[in-house]
Amino acid sequence: MTDHEEFRRQVRAWLAGNVPAGDLPDPDTDDGFGAHRDWERRLYDAGYSGISWPTEYGGRGGDVLHEAIFAEEYELAGAPVRITRPAQRFLGPTLIRYGSAEQRRRWLPGMLRADHIWCQGFSEPDAGSDLAGVRTRARWDGDRFVVDGQKTWTTYGRFGDRMFTLARTGEPGGRHRGLSCLVIDMRGAGVRVRPVRQAHGQTGFAEVFFDSVAVPAGNLVGPRDEGWDVAMTLLSFERGPDAGAPVRTRRRLDALVGDIVEAGGSPGTVRDLGDLYARLSAFQAYTCRRVGARLAGEPVGAESSLVKLFAARLDADIVQLGVELFGDERLAERAPEFLDYWHSRAGSIYGGTAEIQRNVVADRILGLPRC
Amino acid sequence: MTDHEEFRRQVRAWLAGNVPAGDLPDPDTDDGFGAHRDWERRLYDAGYSGISWPTEYGGRGGDVLHEAIFAEEYELAGAPVRITRPAQRFLGPTLIRYGSAEQRRRWLPGMLRADHIWCQGFSEPDAGSDLAGVRTRARWDGDRFVVDGQKTWTTYGRFGDRMFTLARTGEPGGRHRGLSCLVIDMRGAGVRVRPVRQAHGQTGFAEVFFDSVAVPAGNLVGPRDEGWDVAMTLLSFERGPDAGAPVRTRRRLDALVGDIVEAGGSPGTVRDLGDLYARLSAFQAYTCRRVGARLAGEPVGAESSLVKLFAARLDADIVQLGVELFGDERLAERAPEFLDYWHSRAGSIYGGTAEIQRNVVADRILGLPRC
Amino acid sequence: MLTAEQVRLRAPSAEQRELAASAAGMFFRPDRDERVDAGPEGDFDRGRWTELAGTGLLGAAVPEGAGGLGLSVPDLVVLTEQAGRALLPGPVVETSWIAAPALAALGQEWAPALAATLHGDRVAAAVDATLRGPDLDVASYVVVPADGSDLLCAADRLGATLRVSTQDRLERSFRIARGPDGGGSAAQPLPLTDGLRVLDRGRLGAAAYLVGVAGGLLEQSISYARLREQFGRPIGAFQAVRHRLADSYVELEFARSAVWGAACDVAEGDPAAPVAITCASVAARRAFAEADRHCLQTHGGIGFTWEHPLHVWLKRGATFAARYGLRRDLETELGERLLARTGQQPRGRPPRPHI
Amino acid sequence: MLTAEQVRLRAPSAEQRELAASAAGMFFRPDRDERVDAGPEGDFDRGRWTELAGTGLLGAAVPEGAGGLGLSVPDLVVLTEQAGRALLPGPVVETSWIAAPALAALGQEWAPALAATLHGDRVAAAVDATLRGPDLDVASYVVVPADGSDLLCAADRLGATLRVSTQDRLERSFRIARGPDGGGSAAQPLPLTDGLRVLDRGRLGAAAYLVGVAGGLLEQSISYARLREQFGRPIGAFQAVRHRLADSYVELEFARSAVWGAACDVAEGDPAAPVAITCASVAARRAFAEADRHCLQTHGGIGFTWEHPLHVWLKRGATFAARYGLRRDLETELGERLLARTGQQPRGRPPRPHI
């Protein structure tokens, strides 16, 4: 693997020559998803997919810092959103850790090229904050599992080919015990996908229904009934540092400041902007420290909960300032900021609500007694 | 009782002619307390003590609005703090409701003239937010109670003559059951008072220790073992509308704005001041509506919890803005604002913490399920 | 200063509580989804508008002799809050608070226009200082705030000066558009109504509507927190959720009182009523901001879906929080006023500690 | 921009963690109450100061050849945070960050003064832009920021220009006084140290100390929340308390990272280091403000008593939050910088949604 600074120069040059000039069409449309899939293939062919994945599965074999450098440059270039993000960040790494040799051979190569779109299937209508409340049932039928139930908030569900699912193989109500991770073919019989329209009018996630879906025994990932541990490993990958996040926050703030400058300034706002700037700077410094700790081999701990809390509030405050200054036009369906507005506000919900994150901090870091 | 507008004119004229020009000496000193006691007597002699108390106990026999008008004018005149406040607002009214004829005759007349200083004895080191955790024990000894235990945060405890005490006459750990209200002579044998120095360097409240204190049977207020109901009535009086409170908040804000004007203004602060002004205005409007509701005979409900939450935050934000603008000099012991700073911050603690008030709102008004 | 008369006025009367209850019944139509019932492109729904006209809301503040209900400003606050709670679409605030009283004030010549407006046959609207307002593309009459005196413009006489753009509408059932740049020669100067200019009336009406929206948000959230279970209990049993909702309720009640107090000031002819209205507008925006934040968080993911009505409350609230003055601008106005007032007074001192 | 070198630097090394632990051991004296041990009138405690000098803290940033420890700026951050956590009294930040390195930079002529300072025989202090600083009445050397170059003033040579007032001291063990109005002819111009001016050094040092104070506050509060019981359980089991403390911890950790990052910038000679220092100063003030609010609330009434040490943390934090720039002024400085920077760039667009 190349030297880090040389790698940064290469990435920057490649992105400068290849990132599409405008936004790609909306990935929630058929055309848009196709365009994003094409983009993923270009990235893959250029060697920029799976930066820290082993080369045998199509990755680049880099380290945490290569991954971070790529993420920074990617966001700085304003490149398209990644429809392979779940696969890259946590589904693939979980399969590398827990999958059998056959499973890794079968599934991993198609992931990075976006030949198959992979979705995460954890959340359910009654298992949101309370993941151990999963009810989707996988009954063993002698030679296969038969799955019944429902998943929700499935990102890119409408275009999904495979779902990495957490389902109950043990007794109902068993909480953390008796769960298993299964890979389900979303194109198979008995699977129904219903796109969910969001407050901003577009889709982007889906509900997925399983009606007696047959899942071969070979699609069980990790030990049967011990899926909770697999799921926790998956979440720890999901919670690894994302060097792209502060860059996105910076772009969000820069865009707002641009609007303010264009509107001729807003004297009462200077201090608010300074506050946001200082917080962005702290976010960058924290991310930098975290990448350093990972590079030094420290395990991922509860810091991602801190990032979720700090960054979600910062992002929400940036978009809120926009609305306070420019009014409701920024929330209108045709406004360029509307998707970012809703998405930033969702930052304190998805991937574990702010309440859950505070509990994690209180339990695991502060050592406070539980209720 | 005189017409309301005429009453306001009279009060205003009397206060204009009688309120001491500067502050009285600190009521936490012997001299200062004496000066405040003299002031109470002047108020009493002029007919301005116990505005809404029946005349037979030395009060003026007014209604809720007379009381509110007096409170407004009193605060507008910048008159001294009232060392009879606990007696006036809730201890006296509770005795009027629950005391026997003999008890009312014995205790009430001395209250308003400050002949005897009355203290409230509810809080204990282990019964703060959790009032039902009271441990002070009153054992029945055939012809009297014998009290052992400790009270804390006793306002004017150092100068107290009588304490209205909540003590456990039933089984230990009985929570709301087995509590009784006793009036204890604070000058009697076995009572020890220890003034507590506060963060601002002055005293103002005390810890009170009972060591086998004999309390005559005739000092039991209300039914034995049913003191919780008496205590709740007392708290409902304490939680009645206080028309003086928004005036005090207005003085706090006006003083800060005066400092800002004197310092030549602070451009970035205009919006903060407008926010505080709007909240003060809402506080005034809410108080006005509450007085109206009381005047119409509506019972005191959980609104005092709303007032505590809204006003404590407003007051704390006013003093905080002062520190943000003028720095730590405002917190220094010799600064004129230092007492108000600490006192305003205590608004979310005393009389039920903000957390308790939120629970009250959630339980009694919003009807949310309990944990 | 509390006077006996004011204090009595300021506790809503039994009649006013009755009015609120009956308005809630009239306005709330559980069988009808205001989002869905607007046309697919969010066209103005004339049928619904005629229905609303039938409730009397549009002419609530118009004298009985002129075909209205002749209600007081506090009464109108009561009705408007319920309108906000029920998310009534169309220019309800603009018609009932501004345009209908304006048409009534203009006298006999405009009586037919008033009658058509009160029956819902014609639509009357208004714009704020940014020249935006709801449903201008279908309005026959538009009230425009102006230096000197405010103006009423009849759309059919204005011709080219009415340049309506609906580009920036926020929701399909509630369209805000940019209005006429000015009155032109065909505009009719307007007298004060209840001693108030058009922007002050709009501010107060919008604040009442916004308080209603915030209240609706909170009601939804309380219901949801009671029903939604996680970790084996309703989420409303968790302090994190309970305390959020309690805080929202506190801000709501104080904002409600501020709006009510300002309306009473107007009714009493207090010359400082516009300041009270500005304070109430800020309080309403605060209450909405709290409700917006806490209620969306309480709902979790479901609040971000189109199917759940929460987003309509959020968007409608954002619309009303941005009309007749952004919170920041209103706060600046009040702050400047406070500084100017204090500059003329002797230095005060903070109160002595007082428990 | 992350470089490999930076990223490695930015994860505190094993040595630095060791340094923090040993400093904590040296600075924390459970047998000693910093409030009580200061004289009854809050006089400067020379014995304690000599003890502190013995830890090496005062000369931590002075080259080894000049009698110091020769530590880097990030190392000094580590030590200073522990000093704040232990509420070390006296001008520790002013001496270790400003005055001692200044004396060292002035060369041989000032070597005796430096030696006396490092031994604690003489006191060196500094003032910020408001000309206030700690313990000026006992200081022999005072560093004063000035236009052109910063100045070192020897108190015994200044005579009348050093007008010290101790009127506005906040706590008995930590006295802030107003310093000399200017250097006069006896003042010595100072070179940059680590490329920084005196105010930037003070800002960074004060931010590190303030982070330490906030951390100490939080530790106290966590311990209290574990022990204090109400309603039959520790209050730390209630979400209202848990979530407050978690929020404080979040701000603290990000502020700690910001201070650390700024120190690394200085060590790397980044010309933008002063901006990073200003950002870190704001972050530290935010962290302290959160801790101040939540920790006092968590303690309830006990936090308002003189006997409990909480108020010393609160006051010390308030002192450091007000020195080398009030938060509002620092934010304004940053906001203006952001506006100026953006004015020169092409319009950006917000990122696309991305889960």
Side-chain angles (χ1 to χ4, degrees):
Chain A
M1 191 70 200
T2 42
D3 161 80
H4 292 104
E5 286 317 291
E6 173 56 26
F7 178 65
R8 187 186 288 279
R9 275 189 292 275
Q10 283 177 14
V11 170
R12 189 176 291 180
W14 188 87
L15 289 168
N18 287 276
V19 168
D23 280 335
L24 293 185
D26 185 346
D28 300 322
T29 60
D30 289 336
D31 281 358
F33 198 84
H36 282 77
R37 197 191 279 255
D38 292 344
W39 168 246
E40 290 290 344
R41 287 185 181 151
R42 277 173 68 192
L43 283 165
Y44 181 83
D45 292 341
Y48 292 125
S49 200
I51 303 291
S52 61
W53 282 35
T55 47
E56 61 182 302
Y57 305 121
R60 198 180 173 101
D63 61 20
V64 172
L65 185 54
H66 289 107
E67 190 77 61
I69 287 169
F70 183 79
E72 276 197 341
E73 291 296 328
Y74 191 87
E75 296 296 341
L76 282 169
V81 298
R82 302 293 299 270
I83 56 172
T84 58
R85 183 176 165 86
Q88 302 247 2
R89 269 181 72 81
F90 47 87
L91 299 180
T94 304
L95 285 174
I96 291 171
R97 172 86 60 94
Y98 279 98
S100 66
E102 186 275 325
Q103 286 175 331
R104 296 201 299 268
R105 233 178 358 254
R106 176 150 55 111
W107 286 325
L108 290 169
M111 269 186 168
L112 293 179
R113 253 193 106 232
D115 290 338
H116 295 110
I117 301 301
W118 282 69
C119 299
Q120 177 187 14
F122 280 17
S123 294
E124 298 183 3
D126 291 315
S129 288
D130 183 13
L131 182 57
V134 157
R135 293 185 189 185
T136 291
R137 185 105 187 83
R139 189 169 41 83
W140 179 246
D141 196 25
D143 62 345
R144 54 182 192 166
F145 295 96
V146 177
V147 178
D148 288 279
Q150 180 188 351
K151 294 291 173 181
T152 191
W153 316 127
T154 309
T155 304
Y156 302 128
R158 192 179 149 203
F159 303 99
D161 298 299
R162 310 265 182 276
M163 176 179 272
F164 192 101
T165 313
L166 187 64
R168 194 161 293 285
T169 40
E171 288 308 301
R175 306 285 303 159
H176 309 82
R177 291 184 309 279
L179 293 167
S180 300
C181 287
L182 297 174
V183 171
I184 299 181
D185 180 355
M186 293 175 75
R187 307 289 179 182
V191 180
R192 190 163 61 84
V193 176
R194 194 180 77 90
V196 174
R197 193 177 183 194
Q198 290 178 262
H200 50 56
Q202 304 195 17
T203 57
F205 52 77
E207 293 179 315
V208 180
F209 301 87
F210 303 116
D211 182 10
S212 297
V213 176
V215 177
N219 284 22
L220 173 70
V221 179
R224 183 169 161 183
D225 289 342
E226 289 172 31
W228 184 257
D229 295 338
V230 181
M232 289 304 103
T233 300
L234 185 151
L235 293 181
S236 82
F237 287 123
E238 187 171 359
R239 290 169 181 157
D242 176 4
V247 182
R248 285 194 294 279
T249 298
R250 177 177 150 186
R251 285 181 55 202
R252 185 169 288 122
L253 179 57
D254 282 346
L256 174 62
V257 178
D259 290 341
I260 292 170
V261 171
E262 200 170 273
S266 170
T269 306
V270 178
R271 187 161 55 81
D272 300 271
L273 292 178
D275 165 67
L276 296 170
Y277 185 19
R279 287 154 74 189
L280 168 62
S281 173
F283 186 18
Q284 290 166 330
Y286 189 82
T287 303
C288 192
R289 195 173 111 179
R290 252 195 110 194
V291 171
R294 288 281 292 144
L295 200 63
E298 290 178 32
V300 173
E303 320 93 64
S304 74
S305 291
L306 305 188
V307 173
K308 284 281 293 174
L309 288 165
F310 189 87
R313 194 168 151 201
L314 173 55
D315 288 337
D317 286 352
I318 294 171
V319 300
Q320 186 60 38
L321 181 59
V323 173
E324 281 180 26
L325 291 174
F326 298 108
D328 54 322
E329 291 189 26
R330 281 178 102 79
L331 304 188
E333 281 179 38
R334 296 177 207 175
E337 297 82 8
F338 89 108
L339 276 178
D340 189 49
Y341 174 84
W342 289 103
H343 184 73
S344 296
R345 292 203 59 182
S348 56
I349 303 289
Y350 67 77
T353 65
E355 286 72 21
I356 295 295
Q357 308 296 353
R358 289 190 184 99
N359 279 339
V360 169
V361 173
D363 290 343
R364 294 198 214 160
I365 303 181
L366 308 188
L368 288 169
R370 297 185 189 214
C371 192
Chain B
M1 190 70 199
T2 42
D3 161 78
H4 293 105
E5 285 317 292
E6 173 56 25
F7 177 66
R8 186 186 289 278
R9 275 188 293 276
Q10 284 176 15
V11 169
R12 189 176 292 181
W14 189 86
L15 289 168
N18 289 275
V19 168
D23 279 336
L24 293 184
D26 186 346
D28 299 322
T29 60
D30 289 336
D31 281 358
F33 198 83
H36 282 78
R37 197 190 281 256
D38 292 344
W39 168 247
E40 290 291 343
R41 286 185 180 147
R42 278 172 69 192
L43 284 165
Y44 180 84
D45 293 342
Y48 291 125
S49 200
I51 303 292
S52 61
W53 282 35
T55 49
E56 62 182 304
Y57 306 120
R60 197 181 175 102
D63 62 19
V64 172
L65 185 52
H66 289 105
E67 190 78 61
I69 286 169
F70 183 79
E72 276 197 341
E73 291 296 328
Y74 192 87
E75 297 295 342
L76 282 169
V81 297
R82 301 293 299 272
I83 57 172
T84 59
R85 184 177 165 86
Q88 301 248 2
R89 269 182 72 80
F90 46 88
L91 299 179
T94 303
L95 286 172
I96 292 171
R97 171 87 60 95
Y98 279 99
S100 66
E102 187 275 324
Q103 287 175 330
R104 296 200 300 267
R105 234 179 358 255
R106 175 150 55 110
W107 286 325
L108 290 170
M111 268 187 170
L112 293 179
R113 253 193 106 234
D115 291 337
H116 295 110
I117 301 302
W118 282 69
C119 300
Q120 178 187 12
F122 280 17
S123 293
E124 299 183 3
D126 290 315
S129 288
D130 182 14
L131 183 56
V134 157
R135 293 184 188 185
T136 291
R137 184 104 186 85
R139 188 169 40 84
W140 180 243
D141 195 26
D143 62 344
R144 54 181 191 165
F145 294 96
V146 178
V147 178
D148 288 278
Q150 178 186 352
K151 294 291 175 180
T152 192
W153 315 128
T154 308
T155 304
Y156 302 129
R158 191 178 149 203
F159 304 99
D161 298 298
R162 310 263 183 276
M163 178 179 272
F164 193 101
T165 313
L166 187 64
R168 193 159 294 283
T169 41
E171 290 307 303
R175 305 286 305 160
H176 308 82
R177 289 183 311 278
L179 293 167
S180 299
C181 288
L182 296 175
V183 172
I184 299 181
D185 181 355
M186 293 175 74
R187 307 288 178 182
V191 179
R192 189 163 62 83
V193 176
R194 194 178 78 90
V196 174
R197 193 177 185 195
Q198 291 177 260
H200 49 56
Q202 304 194 17
T203 57
F205 52 77
E207 292 180 315
V208 179
F209 300 86
F210 304 117
D211 181 11
S212 297
V213 176
V215 178
N219 283 22
L220 173 70
V221 179
R224 182 169 160 184
D225 289 343
E226 289 172 30
W228 184 256
D229 295 340
V230 182
M232 289 302 103
T233 300
L234 185 151
L235 294 181
S236 82
F237 288 123
E238 187 172 359
R239 290 169 181 158
D242 175 4
V247 183
R248 285 194 293 279
T249 299
R250 178 179 146 184
R251 285 181 55 203
R252 186 168 288 122
L253 179 57
D254 282 348
L256 173 63
V257 178
D259 290 341
I260 292 171
V261 170
E262 202 169 271
S266 169
T269 306
V270 177
R271 186 160 55 82
D272 301 270
L273 292 178
D275 165 67
L276 296 170
Y277 184 19
R279 285 153 76 189
L280 169 61
S281 174
F283 186 18
Q284 290 165 330
Y286 188 83
T287 303
C288 192
R289 195 173 113 181
R290 252 195 110 191
V291 172
R294 289 281 293 143
L295 199 65
E298 290 177 31
V300 174
E303 320 93 64
S304 74
S305 292
L306 305 188
V307 173
K308 284 281 293 172
L309 288 165
F310 190 87
R313 194 169 152 198
L314 174 55
D315 288 337
D317 286 351
I318 294 172
V319 300
Q320 185 61 38
L321 182 58
V323 174
E324 281 179 27
L325 290 174
F326 299 108
D328 53 323
E329 293 189 25
R330 281 178 102 81
L331 303 189
E333 281 179 38
R334 297 176 205 174
E337 297 81 8
F338 90 106
L339 276 178
D340 189 49
Y341 175 84
W342 289 103
H343 185 72
S344 294
R345 291 203 61 182
S348 56
I349 303 288
Y350 67 76
T353 64
E355 286 72 20
I356 295 294
Q357 309 297 353
R358 290 191 184 100
N359 279 339
V360 169
V361 173
D363 290 342
R364 295 199 213 158
I365 303 181
L366 308 187
L368 288 170
R370 296 184 191 214
C371 192
Chain C
M1 284 313 117
L2 310 174
T3 69
E5 181 55 28
Q6 281 176 347
V7 165
R8 287 201 182 92
L9 255 177
R10 273 150 203 247
S13 66
E15 291 75 20
Q16 282 162 333
R17 275 180 265 185
E18 179 82 11
L19 182 66
S22 74
M26 269 193 306
F27 296 160
F28 242 133
R29 294 274 307 273
D31 58 314
R32 150 167 227 133
D33 184 332
E34 300 289 0
R35 285 162 305 153
V36 178
D37 286 357
E41 287 305 307
D43 292 339
F44 184 78
D45 183 340
R46 288 200 173 268
R48 177 68 174 137
W49 191 247
T50 308
E51 255 179 62
L52 283 180
T55 67
L57 171 63
L58 303 183
V62 168
E64 288 186 85
L69 302 179
L71 298 183
S72 69
V73 171
D75 292 340
L76 189 55
V77 159
V78 168
L79 284 179
T80 308
E81 192 184 324
Q82 294 302 324
R85 186 165 158 261
L87 292 180
L88 293 192
V92 285
V93 167
E94 285 69 19
T95 307
S96 60
W97 282 84
I98 299 174
L103 288 165
L106 287 177
Q108 210 45 46
E109 192 194 334
W110 291 80
L114 177 61
T117 299
L118 298 190
H119 285 97
D121 298 337
R122 285 176 171 269
V123 175
V127 294
D128 67 9
T130 67
L131 298 182
R132 287 181 307 150
D135 299 294
L136 299 178
D137 52 340
V138 295
S140 301
Y141 315 103
V142 180
V143 176
V144 182
D147 295 337
S149 65
D150 302 319
L151 301 169
L152 177 87
C153 310
D156 56 356
R157 297 202 212 156
L158 278 171
T161 65
L162 183 68
R163 285 196 300 273
V164 169
S165 137
T166 55
Q167 241 188 333
D168 50 8
R169 75 186 172 204
L170 177 59
E171 311 164 51
R172 278 154 207 256
S173 63
F174 198 85
R175 301 107 38 87
I176 296 286
R178 196 163 292 275
D181 287 346
S185 59
Q188 192 76 21
L190 290 172
L192 301 184
T193 317
D194 300 306
L196 296 179
R197 307 238 0 210
V198 153
L199 284 181
D200 288 323
R201 294 187 71 85
R203 272 188 189 175
L204 186 52
Y209 191 100
L210 187 57
V211 163
V213 173
L217 263 175
L218 188 56
E219 285 169 27
Q220 286 275 334
S221 304
I222 292 167
S223 305
Y224 185 76
R226 283 202 196 112
L227 291 174
R228 167 73 174 167
E229 294 196 3
Q230 288 285 273
F231 303 102
R233 66 182 71 154
I235 60 169
F238 291 99
Q239 277 191 339
V241 174
R242 292 160 70 76
H243 288 190
R244 277 180 182 281
L245 297 178
D247 280 340
S248 296
Y249 183 77
V250 170
E251 291 291 337
L252 179 66
E253 277 300 289
F254 277 79
R256 182 178 275 144
S257 294
V259 170
W260 177 254
C264 293
D265 286 348
V266 172
E268 290 155 16
D270 185 336
V275 182
I277 289 173
T278 306
C279 285
S281 295
V282 171
R285 282 155 178 72
R286 264 185 83 84
F288 170 69
E290 284 276 290
D292 173 76
R293 192 156 71 92
H294 294 313
C295 293
L296 185 58
Q297 185 69 18
T298 297
H299 276 78
I302 199 82
F304 287 84
T305 62
W306 186 268
E307 281 162 47
H308 193 285
L310 197 82
H311 69 100
V312 189
W313 263 279
L314 297 177
K315 291 168 179 171
R316 188 68 56 83
T319 299
F320 274 89
R323 305 202 56 214
Y324 303 104
L326 291 167
R327 175 170 158 190
R328 297 191 153 232
D329 297 331
L330 299 173
E331 285 171 351
T332 302
E333 193 179 315
L334 290 173
E336 277 162 1
R337 193 179 177 84
L338 190 58
L339 284 164
R341 187 185 84 180
T342 307
Q344 298 153 5
Q345 288 176 347
R347 249 316 274 297
R349 47 193 180 120
R352 299 276 306 173
H354 181 117
I355 294 196
Chain D
M1 281 317 117
L2 310 175
T3 69
E5 182 54 27
Q6 281 177 349
V7 163
R8 286 198 184 95
L9 255 178
R10 274 152 202 247
S13 64
E15 290 75 22
Q16 283 162 333
R17 274 180 266 185
E18 178 83 12
L19 182 67
S22 72
M26 270 194 303
F27 297 159
F28 243 132
R29 293 273 308 273
D31 58 314
R32 150 166 228 133
D33 185 331
E34 300 289 0
R35 285 163 303 153
V36 178
D37 287 357
E41 287 304 308
D43 291 339
F44 184 77
D45 183 340
R46 288 201 173 266
R48 178 69 174 136
W49 190 247
T50 308
E51 255 180 62
L52 284 180
T55 66
L57 171 63
L58 303 183
V62 169
E64 287 184 85
L69 303 179
L71 298 184
S72 70
V73 171
D75 292 340
L76 189 54
V77 158
V78 168
L79 283 180
T80 308
E81 191 184 324
Q82 293 303 324
R85 185 166 160 260
L87 292 179
L88 293 192
V92 285
V93 167
E94 285 68 19
T95 307
S96 60
W97 283 83
I98 298 174
L103 288 166
L106 288 177
Q108 209 46 43
E109 193 194 336
W110 291 81
L114 176 61
T117 300
L118 297 191
H119 285 96
D121 298 336
R122 286 177 169 268
V123 175
V127 294
D128 67 7
T130 68
L131 298 182
R132 287 182 307 150
D135 298 295
L136 299 180
D137 51 342
V138 295
S140 301
Y141 315 103
V142 179
V143 177
V144 182
D147 294 336
S149 64
D150 303 319
L151 302 169
L152 177 87
C153 311
D156 56 355
R157 297 201 213 157
L158 279 171
T161 64
L162 183 69
R163 287 195 300 272
V164 169
S165 136
T166 54
Q167 239 188 338
D168 50 7
R169 76 188 173 201
L170 175 60
E171 307 165 55
R172 280 156 205 253
S173 63
F174 197 83
R175 302 107 38 86
I176 295 287
R178 196 161 295 275
D181 287 346
S185 59
Q188 191 76 22
L190 290 172
L192 301 185
T193 318
D194 300 308
L196 296 179
R197 306 234 6 205
V198 152
L199 284 180
D200 288 323
R201 293 187 72 83
R203 271 187 189 176
L204 186 53
Y209 191 100
L210 187 56
V211 163
V213 173
L217 264 175
L218 189 56
E219 285 169 27
Q220 287 275 335
S221 305
I222 291 167
S223 304
Y224 186 76
R226 283 202 195 114
L227 291 174
R228 168 74 174 166
E229 294 198 2
Q230 288 285 274
F231 303 102
R233 67 182 72 154
I235 60 170
F238 291 100
Q239 276 191 340
V241 174
R242 294 161 69 75
H243 288 190
R244 278 180 182 282
L245 297 179
D247 280 340
S248 296
Y249 183 76
V250 170
E251 291 292 337
L252 178 66
E253 277 299 290
F254 278 79
R256 181 176 276 144
S257 295
V259 170
W260 178 255
C264 294
D265 286 348
V266 173
E268 290 156 15
D270 187 336
V275 182
I277 289 173
T278 307
C279 284
S281 295
V282 171
R285 282 153 177 74
R286 266 185 83 85
F288 171 68
E290 285 275 289
D292 174 76
R293 192 157 72 92
H294 293 315
C295 292
L296 185 58
Q297 185 69 20
T298 297
H299 277 78
I302 199 82
F304 287 85
T305 62
W306 185 269
E307 282 163 46
H308 193 284
L310 197 82
H311 68 100
V312 188
W313 263 280
L314 298 176
K315 290 168 179 171
R316 189 67 57 83
T319 297
F320 274 89
R323 305 200 56 215
Y324 304 103
L326 290 166
R327 175 170 158 189
R328 296 189 153 233
D329 297 330
L330 300 174
E331 285 171 351
T332 302
E333 193 180 314
L334 290 173
E336 276 162 3
R337 193 179 177 85
L338 190 58
L339 283 164
R341 187 186 82 182
T342 308
Q344 297 153 3
Q345 288 176 346
R347 249 317 274 299
R349 49 193 179 121
R352 300 275 307 175
H354 182 116
I355 294 196

